[in-house]
Amino acid sequence: MAYALDIDPAAREQIRALPVDALAELVQAFEVLILVPERGEPLNPANPDGAVRQLVFGEGKGLITYLLLSDQERVDVLVVMWVSFDSPGPDRG
């Protein structure tokens, strides 16, 4: 069974801001969410069956926060983040 993937407009903007090298990693992460969304960790460890979950991707540089709606066979992507320390920022010279 495949889950439908719904991407929040704010998450779409975050995806547009990702570096090109992150996109292939994101595609793989979305495939996981479509096929086995339970693989992500609960946002709140005290609520292991909670619907809000997070999936780390891209060798730990990326994080997707999503809502798992099992009864509707749907995953709502809420936040997509990418952290990269490859180049120094303006204050790191």
Side-chain angles (χ1 to χ4, degrees), residues 14-38:
Q14 294 162 347
I15 292 167
R16 286 185 189 103
L18 292 177
V20 173
D21 60 323
L23 297 178
E25 302 286 348
L26 181 64
V27 168
Q28 290 178 354
F30 281 170
E31 289 173 356
V32 170
L33 293 181
I34 289 168
L35 298 174
V36 284
E38 302 86 4

Side-chain angles (χ1 to χ4, degrees), residues 56-77:
V56 175
F57 71 100
E59 299 177 4
K61 292 183 180 181
L63 181 67
I64 301 171
T65 303
Y66 62 97
L67 179 64
L68 174 56
L69 301 165
S70 297
D71 59 330
Q72 299 176 34
E73 298 178 2
R74 191 175 95 210
V75 173
D76 289 354
V77 175

